[in-house]
Amino acid sequence: MTTSPLGGPDAQAVPLTWRDPKRYLWLFGLVAPSATLLAVGLVWASNRLGLTWVAPVWWWLGPLLIYVALPILDRFFGPDGANPPEEVMEQLEQDRYYRYCTYAYIPLQLVSLVFAAYLWTASDLSWLGIDGGLGLVSEIGLALTIGAMGGIGINTAHELGHKKDELERWLSKITLAQTFYGHFYIEHNRGHHVRVATPEDPASARFGESFWSFLPRSVWGSLTSAWELEKVRLARLGKGPFTLRNDVLNAWLMSVALWVALVAVFGPGVLPFLVIQAVYGFSLLETVNYLEHYGLLRQKTASGRYERCTPEHSWNSDHIVTNIFLYHLQRHSDHHANPTRRYQTLRHMDGAPELPSGYASLIGLAYLTPLWRKVMDHRVLDHYDGDITRVHIQPAKRARILAQYGATR
């Protein structure tokens, strides 16, 4: 009998040499909620060093991180591909260190948001080396940096909201309050995971559909779906939808309380920037939604029901840098197969279709429809061995696309 390093005697001991190589890398996930504080330090340092022309650029740190730094780092460090040994999965799942990494996101997020509200409205920032307050360009850059934090925060809420622990579910709603996207907590868990890769799912993008068509469809469809799901649940309890037990309403009320408090303290001047950051934040989430299932379709069985969701119905990307920032969200196939599994135990699955790079690299590409389709359409077809009839096609373009690829139905 041997002794496992994970505790206690174990006839099938875990290999003594295995240690999680990413254990402390997950702390880099806290860069996003710290970006505003980091930007302030860089602005102060730039002005102190006489680099006043550089200082305003740092207010745009969030977009620079998403569109420039992460794609470069993904390219440099490449894919991960390493999975934990099966023997350590249970202990790794129970290790509370990993959930503390996600919990820490929330206070940093709230502190950064409050600090940004101060910066948007302050008339004297001489301590930063700035005459008067921020200029409009800097204010917008700061709003987008806060929005990037909120968008990545939706992913943190996604990780927490899938869990059965009541505390984590409430923390999920608190994290969503900044972007006014509390209904995501309902729709993602009880809507998207049930209907993923089907025409009934507003968050599954269709072959030939541009991101700009997908965005309003997913935003409105997800909102109405969440409301309907809660309405049905409450009806079974003999209650109407207008109650604080409605998880859509109580999540939205958290947003109202947060925004009202910021306006009360800092004045109505913060409102335009709160709107900008919220729209940018949830649009980042929807861009990721667009990437994750583009063109993939679950087929119907002889009974008329959709086949079970499998790894082949989600696009994977195992590029390590973006995965660290997004808590393994890019191991999306395993997530859909095991939605309550914690991020540290999600596995790379060889049978899943692979994106050409990390999410951060592809977010910008998704905005440019011709380039997106040039990169992705042939990958969808390759995944289905050239059979266009198995692809999830945009209905308005169905006849033209089928004709283009020589199909008739």
Side-chain angles (χ1 to χ4, degrees):
M1 185 177 289
T2 57
T3 300
S4 165
L6 302 179
D10 185 357
Q12 301 293 325
V14 176
L16 291 171
T17 56
W18 193 86
R19 294 290 185 274
D20 181 5
K22 290 179 282 191
R23 182 177 179 87
Y24 298 108
L25 293 179
W26 297 113
L27 294 173
F28 283 103
L30 300 177
V31 168
S34 305
T36 298
L37 307 177
L38 178 59
V40 168
L42 291 170
V43 168
W44 177 85
S46 296
N47 284 329
R48 290 278 292 183
L49 293 171
L51 302 173
T52 55
W53 60 276
V54 173
V57 174
W58 298 122
W59 299 119
W60 294 77
L61 191 59
L64 288 171
L65 178 70
I66 291 172
Y67 301 117
V68 180
L70 287 179
I72 291 172
L73 291 171
D74 265 341
R75 185 75 175 174
F76 182 80
F77 288 100
D80 178 3
N83 291 332
E86 196 62 37
E87 297 88 346
V88 308
M89 286 295 196
E90 184 177 353
Q91 189 275 344
L92 197 58
E93 184 85 8
Q94 298 303 319
D95 190 336
R96 299 186 72 85
Y97 162 80
Y98 294 94
R99 66 187 73 178
Y100 294 151
C101 289
T102 57
Y103 294 175
Y105 195 102
I106 301 164
L108 285 170
Q109 177 185 12
L110 293 174
V111 166
S112 294
L113 180 62
V114 171
F115 196 29
Y118 156 72
L119 292 169
W120 285 321
T121 55
S123 58
D124 180 9
L125 292 174
S126 55
W127 62 275
L128 272 177
I130 297 173
D131 293 330
L134 294 181
L136 180 60
V137 173
S138 294
E139 288 176 324
I140 293 172
L142 176 57
L144 296 182
T145 293
I146 288 293
M149 176 185 73
I152 297 173
I154 296 176
N155 179 62
T156 306
H158 165 262
E159 171 65 23
L160 295 169
H162 268 295
K163 305 305 174 283
K164 297 178 181 179
D165 184 275
E166 193 65 25
L167 171 63
E168 290 182 287
R169 289 172 177 254
W170 276 99
L171 289 175
S172 175
K173 293 180 187 179
I174 292 170
T175 310
L176 292 166
Q178 174 190 332
T179 49
F180 235 106
Y181 229 57
H183 56 278
F184 172 82
Y185 167 83
I186 296 300
E187 162 55 21
H188 181 82
N189 293 342
R190 287 161 42 202
H192 175 64
H193 271 265
V194 173
R195 301 176 300 214
V196 63
T198 71
E200 288 76 28
D201 180 33
S204 292
R206 301 154 176 172
F207 186 91
E209 181 179 29
S210 74
F211 167 71
W212 304 108
S213 296
F214 169 82
L215 178 62
R217 181 174 72 82
S218 184
V219 169
W220 180 249
S222 297
L223 189 156
T224 54
S225 173
W227 182 261
E228 188 61 28
L229 286 166
E230 273 299 89
K231 184 178 177 182
V232 169
R233 181 184 71 85
L234 291 165
R236 289 176 183 149
L237 300 174
K239 298 183 178 294
F242 296 99
T243 168
L244 286 178
R245 294 186 65 179
N246 184 325
D247 281 329
V248 174
L249 284 182
N250 60 50
W252 285 347
L253 284 173
M254 288 185 183
S255 295
V256 171
L258 177 62
W259 285 35
V260 166
L262 290 171
V263 170
V265 173
F266 298 103
V270 300
L271 268 175
F273 303 109
L274 288 176
V275 172
I276 290 170
Q277 65 83 26
V279 172
Y280 181 60
F282 71 67
S283 73
L284 286 175
L285 162 77
E286 296 296 354
T287 313
V288 169
N289 279 339
Y290 180 76
L291 308 176
E292 288 173 336
H293 306 283
Y294 177 78
L296 303 180
L297 181 65
R298 286 157 60 193
Q299 308 300 316
K300 286 191 174 181
T301 65
S303 67
R305 298 172 65 88
Y306 288 109
E307 64 183 329
R308 182 177 177 273
C309 183
T310 66
E312 70 180 40
H313 299 120
S314 303
W315 289 101
N316 256 27
S317 174
D318 203 30
H319 284 70
I320 188 169
V321 176
T322 303
N323 252 342
I324 291 296
F325 274 82
L326 297 180
Y327 303 115
H328 266 163
L329 180 66
Q330 297 179 143
R331 293 187 168 185
H332 208 60
S333 294
D334 193 17
H335 169 66
H336 271 278
N338 301 281
T340 60
R341 177 170 280 172
R342 293 188 181 273
Y343 68 91
Q344 66 270 23
T345 57
L346 289 173
R347 301 159 299 176
H348 170 70
M349 308 189 85
D350 290 332
E354 281 288 319
L355 293 169
S357 189
Y359 285 1
S361 303
L362 296 176
I363 285 173
L365 188 69
Y367 302 153
L368 307 171
T369 303
L371 288 178
W372 169 261
R373 295 197 62 188
K374 183 175 181 180
V375 169
M376 285 302 300
D377 282 8
H378 72 89
R379 286 181 164 84
V380 176
L381 284 169
D382 290 346
H383 178 58
Y384 288 112
D385 297 321
D387 186 354
I388 190 65
T389 64
R390 297 172 61 199
V391 173
H392 186 188
I393 301 174
Q394 172 78 333
K397 298 180 179 179
R398 184 172 184 82
R400 179 162 59 84
I401 288 174
L402 288 175
Q404 178 182 350
Y405 291 98
T408 57
R409 68 175 183 85

